[in-house]
RNA sequence: GUGCCUGUAGCUCAAUGGAUAGAGCGCUGGACUCCGGAUCCAGAGGUUGCGGGUUCGACUCCCGCCAGGCACGCCA
């Protein structure tokens, strides 16, 4: 908020100085000892104005010093302009934060509808820790975009059409027969061997008895398919719900085949001349768009590939009127992106509509050793297990605090045994502390009055905290633009640190100084508001007590 | 072999081409008879994988290596 205002003032000055094209200069919190805000504007206009940065910085600083927004402005180093903000300005921001309360940080509507699609994993086994990372990243990014002014839909794509589901059905049928004591059947090499299917098979025997014992016909196939799919989906959904991830819509892959979208895609591409037949299959001329080999859309047995249904899926998304869609994909799918872009181009869907946010995988460590995960072999640590061990807050915070594009090393022993070392506790503690101050306040006879006493504040710690609070909207913008949930957790940690530091040096409730006390209560309330809002975006609880 | 991601303090990770590369954990030493010590303050700890290049300025951009991960299917 303050940064935005400072930005405007500087922009005006640059225009007065004769700059025709305003460069992308920055206004940010200055390093320790260089004022409160700093800008690099002088460097960026130096070339156009043909004068050294230091000299231009002096001009800018001099003009800014006349502005009541600032107490002091100086040029430093090779041309940075350092700014000190007036306490009046801070006080106004704090009042605004308290007034806007649960809405502080929200940007005005951009009038755009976008979609985030994530956690679209194969419904062939329990959700793993790796899937959990994707779900949390997608959910938090969706929250961030909502606050940044977009209308957001959260969607999960259900891969219910492919060969994997058939394999799952057959694997379950084998387990079912095993439970009934039938010997000699085996789950295929590429089938699903996890224990969860044994549990499911037992349940199934309880429900249908031995009606499908050693019977594997079309009827049995359909039954086991539906049963397995239904069971897997409902378990996935309940796991995701347990970490606060809910979807606005579930979209079935097979519906695209049933409603003709898949066939329509083939017709469009065929009319445009992008298809050809070879070896009994139908191929898409990927090579006409990018430097990659052509890909099969329809197999020689007539079934559509995943690539084809995915193209149809995105054509469907486009027709639903989103201005942009964001798919969250694991890094193992990165090879799929260029092909999809080629397909979007072939269908005439505008550039920029289709976007992918990639995340790297999670490496689990247990007992100092890397745990290999494989759904098919049935070796994995499930998200349920992790949540039970460390709690929802820690899980969500931990997955949010690391850049999606960074490999995440998750030490299970550490998370289970020493969960109190998780940064989430540090941040939550500052919130609990503030709540405690308010409880104490009523005991001491203070009642909170918005705005009262703020003009009495202005020491170093109070200013540092106020400055941090003022940049919250900017942080949301940066986090959304960079698809970086970790910018939000990083911000919270800095905010908590500024608060603890303020708290240590300043007595909030001091009967000897009622006006100052009221002012500090306002500062505490503003901090509480920002923390609550940030926690909400992360899906982490804001505890009253710990 | 080709493409993508990663490589930063002992460990886990930050740092839109900007000032002295920062946090947490761990380590060392301190802190008010007072609002929550799950806190605060200070300190030690770095050739940003290696070598070149671009410019006022490079962890960041370009080129070449090295190491790890992932992908290169009529799997999804």
């Amino acid at each position: 908020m303050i940064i935005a205002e400072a930005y405007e003032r500087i922009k005006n000055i640059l225009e007065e100085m004769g700059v025709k094209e305003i460069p992308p200069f920055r206004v940010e919190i200055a390093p320790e000892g260089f004022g409160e805000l700093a800008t690099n504007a002088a460097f960026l206009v130096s070339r156009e104005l043909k004068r050294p940065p230091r000299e231009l910085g002096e001009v800018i600083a001099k003009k800014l010093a006349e502005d009541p927004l600032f107490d002091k402005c100086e040029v430093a180093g090779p041309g940075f302009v350092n700014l000190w903000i007036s306490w009046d300005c801070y006080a106004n921001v704090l009042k605004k934060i308290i007034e806007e309360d649960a809405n502080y940080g929200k940007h005005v509507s951009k009038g755009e509808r976008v979609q985030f699609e994530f956690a679209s994993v194969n419904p062939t086994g329990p959700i793993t820790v790796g899937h959990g990372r994707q779900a949390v990243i997608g959910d938090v990014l969706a929250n961030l975009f909502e606050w940044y002014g977009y209308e957001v839909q959260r969607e999960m794509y259900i891969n219910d059409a492919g060969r994997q589901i058939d394999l799952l059905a057959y694997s379950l049928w084998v387990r079912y027969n095993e439970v009934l004591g039938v010997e000699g059947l085996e789950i295929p090499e590429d089938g699903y061997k996890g224990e969860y299917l044994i549990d499911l098979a037992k349940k199934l025997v309880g429900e249908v008895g031995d009606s499908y014992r050693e019977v594997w016909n079309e009827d049995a196939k359909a039954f086991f398919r539906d049963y397995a799919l239904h069971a897997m989906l409902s378990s996935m959904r309940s796991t995701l719900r347990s970490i606060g991830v809910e979807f606005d819509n579930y979209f079935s892959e097979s519906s695209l085949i049933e409603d003709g979208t898949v066939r329509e895609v083939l017709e469009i591409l065929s009319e445009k001349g992008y298809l050809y037949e070879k070896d009994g299959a139908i191929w898409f001329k990927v090579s006409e768009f990018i430097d990659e080999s052509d890909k099969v859309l329809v197999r020689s047995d007539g079934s559509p590939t995943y690539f084809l249904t995915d193209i149809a899926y995105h054509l469907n998304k486009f027709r639903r009127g989103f201005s942009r869609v964001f798919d969250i994909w694991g890094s193992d799918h990165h090879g799929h992106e260029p092909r999809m872009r080629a397909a979007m181009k072939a269908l005439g869907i505008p550039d920029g509509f289709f976007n992918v946010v990639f995340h790297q995988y999670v490496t689990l460590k247990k007992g100092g050793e890397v745990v290999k995960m494989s759904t098919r072999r049935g070796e994995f640590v499930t998200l349920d297990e992790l949540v039970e061990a460390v709690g929802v807050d820690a899980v969500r915070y931990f997955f949010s605090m690391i850049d999606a594009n960074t490999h995440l090393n998750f030490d299970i022993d550490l998370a289970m045994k020493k969960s109190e070392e998780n940064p989430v506790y540090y941040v939550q503690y500052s919130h609990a502390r503030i709540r405690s101050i308010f409880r104490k306040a009523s005991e001491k006879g203070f009642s909170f009055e918005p705005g009262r006493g703020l003009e009495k504040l202005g020491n170093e710690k109070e200013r540092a905290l106020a400055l941090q609070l003022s940049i919250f909207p900017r942080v949301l913008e940066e986090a959304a633009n960079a698809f970086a949930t970790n910018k939000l957790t990083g911000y919270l940690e800095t905010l908590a640190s500024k608060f603890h530091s303020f708290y240590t040096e300043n007595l909030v409730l001091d009967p000897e100084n009622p006006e100052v006390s009221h002012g500090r209560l306002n500062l505490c309330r503003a901090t509480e508001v920002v923390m609550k809002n940030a926690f909400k975006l992360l899906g982490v609880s804001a505890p009253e007590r710990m």
Side-chain angles (χ1 to χ4, degrees):
Chain A
M1 199 182 291
I2 289 174
I3 288 182
E5 280 184 45
Y7 181 93
E8 284 305 315
R9 311 292 164 100
I10 294 165
K11 192 176 152 196
N12 291 339
I13 290 171
L14 293 180
E15 277 163 2
E16 280 174 36
M17 290 165 73
V19 177
K20 292 202 178 60
E21 239 179 86
I22 300 296
F25 69 91
R26 296 192 52 91
V27 179
E28 48 196 14
I29 292 183
E32 191 108 6
F34 293 100
E36 292 171 324
L37 294 179
T39 180
N40 63 346
F43 294 98
L44 303 183
V45 295
S46 157
R47 188 162 303 197
E48 183 182 335
L49 297 180
K50 297 196 171 76
R51 285 161 67 189
R54 172 92 198 183
E55 197 182 312
L56 293 166
E58 270 162 24
V59 177
I60 295 169
K62 203 174 169 194
K63 293 209 177 185
L64 281 174
E66 296 164 9
D67 198 308
L69 195 62
F70 307 109
D71 280 348
K72 194 167 78 163
C73 303
E74 278 179 7
V75 64
F80 292 96
V81 177
N82 299 326
L83 309 168
W84 283 258
I85 295 151
S86 73
W87 179 254
D88 267 3
C89 178
Y90 280 133
N92 285 333
V93 171
L94 294 171
K95 283 179 200 159
K96 199 171 171 200
I97 293 171
I98 292 163
E99 194 185 304
E100 293 186 6
D101 200 19
N103 288 316
Y104 173 64
K106 283 185 183 164
H107 291 239
V108 293
S109 169
K110 294 182 169 53
E112 253 189 74
R113 224 156 62 80
V114 300
Q115 186 210 53
F116 277 82
E117 181 221 321
F118 53 96
S120 302
V121 298
N122 273 333
T124 52
I127 295 202
T128 66
V129 168
H131 302 139
R133 183 181 194 191
Q134 172 168 141
V136 170
I137 288 171
D139 192 41
V140 175
L141 285 179
N143 291 344
L144 276 167
F145 270 73
E146 269 174 358
W147 279 56
Y148 189 34
Y150 291 87
E151 192 185 324
V152 177
Q153 188 198 44
R154 295 162 172 77
E155 181 161 291
M156 181 166 126
Y157 186 53
I158 300 167
N159 302 114
D160 55 1
R163 200 174 138 262
Q164 304 304 324
I165 298 299
D166 295 335
L167 266 172
L168 177 72
Y170 185 73
S171 303
L172 176 62
W173 181 75
V174 172
R175 290 301 195 200
Y176 164 83
N177 277 283
E178 280 175 13
V179 172
L180 289 172
V182 176
E183 284 175 20
L185 289 170
E186 253 183 58
I187 294 177
E189 190 51 42
D190 51 356
Y192 296 92
K193 298 173 182 170
E195 277 201 19
Y196 58 97
L197 284 187
I198 300 178
D199 295 338
L200 192 58
K202 284 179 184 158
K203 195 170 156 238
L204 187 50
V205 169
E207 287 172 23
V208 301
D210 61 356
S211 355
Y212 294 99
R213 182 188 182 116
E214 293 181 87
V215 175
W216 187 241
N217 54 23
E218 285 310 311
D219 177 45
K221 280 183 193 174
F223 175 80
F224 278 86
R225 249 177 76 92
D226 284 357
Y227 192 89
L229 187 64
H230 196 80
M232 288 301 131
L233 277 178
S234 102
S235 123
M236 279 172 62
R237 284 166 71 159
S238 97
T239 299
L240 288 172
R241 205 177 302 122
S242 79
I243 58 164
V245 176
E246 304 235 23
F247 295 89
D248 302 307
N249 195 34
Y250 296 86
F251 196 98
S252 149
E253 180 185 5
S254 55
S255 77
L256 293 161
I257 300 169
E258 285 156 17
D259 72 7
T261 313
V262 163
R263 196 178 57 242
E264 199 185 339
V265 165
L266 290 172
E267 283 163 10
I268 298 170
L269 294 178
S270 170
E271 266 171 40
K272 295 191 175 180
Y274 295 136
L275 301 184
Y276 63 88
E277 232 182 294
K278 193 180 85 179
D279 303 329
I282 298 175
W283 298 68
F284 170 47
K285 293 181 183 171
V286 176
S287 57
E288 206 151 293
F289 298 91
I290 51 172
D291 185 21
E292 237 185 87
S293 57
D294 296 343
K295 291 285 179 284
V296 169
L297 294 186
V298 182
R299 302 189 186 93
S300 47
D301 69 0
S303 63
T305 60
Y306 169 81
F307 184 29
L308 174 54
T309 52
D310 211 24
I311 295 170
Y313 180 33
H314 286 83
L315 175 61
N316 174 288
K317 287 187 187 188
F318 182 64
R319 287 175 173 169
R320 277 191 267 165
F322 298 112
S323 58
R324 285 187 288 167
V325 297
F326 303 95
D327 294 11
I328 319 283
W329 291 356
S331 61
D332 55 338
H333 284 63
H334 74 251
H336 191 54
E337 190 200 10
R339 301 199 278 276
M340 280 297 294
R341 286 200 182 286
M344 295 296 101
K345 206 170 272 281
L347 289 175
I349 292 172
D351 286 351
F353 170 76
F354 167 71
N355 301 278
V356 184
V357 178
F358 287 103
H359 68 93
Q360 301 298 314
Y361 268 11
V362 178
T363 304
L364 286 171
K365 284 187 184 163
K366 203 167 186 176
E369 305 232 332
V370 173
V371 181
K372 285 277 179 201
M373 286 187 290
S374 158
T375 310
R376 292 191 188 177
R377 283 201 307 270
E379 303 166 354
F380 40 70
V381 176
T382 65
L383 186 55
D384 285 333
E385 288 166 359
L386 186 67
V387 170
E388 194 178 332
V390 305
V392 177
D393 286 348
V395 165
R396 289 195 62 117
Y397 196 91
F398 207 95
F399 284 144
S400 299
M401 70 184 278
I402 283 152
D403 186 285
N405 220 10
T406 298
H407 296 269
L408 172 56
N409 287 306
F410 201 114
D411 188 328
I412 296 180
D413 296 324
L414 189 75
M416 287 181 173
K417 287 184 199 158
K418 301 185 174 181
S419 58
E420 71 279 358
E421 288 175 9
N422 195 304
V424 69
Y425 293 95
Y426 176 75
V427 178
Q428 286 181 319
Y429 180 67
S430 56
H431 180 269
R433 210 174 205 186
I434 292 171
R435 294 307 305 152
S436 166
I437 293 170
F438 278 100
R439 286 193 295 271
K440 206 82 183 178
S442 24
E443 281 174 30
K444 288 196 179 181
F446 285 102
S447 61
F448 173 67
E449 293 174 43
R452 179 171 168 190
L454 276 174
E455 72 282 353
K456 297 284 185 190
L457 308 187
N459 69 32
E460 192 194 338
K461 298 294 185 184
E462 292 160 346
R463 299 171 67 92
L465 179 54
L467 176 57
Q468 193 66 20
L469 292 168
S470 78
I471 66 167
F472 183 55
R474 165 67 64 100
V475 171
L476 297 188
E477 177 180 353
E478 285 176 356
N481 282 331
F483 302 98
T485 57
N486 58 309
K487 286 187 190 294
L488 189 53
T489 56
Y491 170 77
L492 256 181
E493 283 160 35
T494 307
L495 179 59
S497 158
K498 301 284 183 201
F499 175 75
H500 285 310
S501 186
F502 151 78
Y503 176 89
T504 304
E505 283 191 22
N506 298 281
L507 188 60
V508 176
L509 302 169
D510 181 3
E512 308 282 310
N513 292 294
E515 285 309 301
V516 170
S517 297
H518 274 101
R520 288 183 180 153
L521 269 178
N522 270 273
L523 188 51
C524 287
R525 173 54 58 87
T527 308
E528 180 194 340
V529 164
V530 173
M531 289 195 151
K532 271 207 173 76
N533 293 355
F535 280 133
K536 193 170 180 198
L537 281 157
L538 289 169
V540 168
S541 68
E544 290 286 315
R545 293 184 171 82
M546 292 175 72

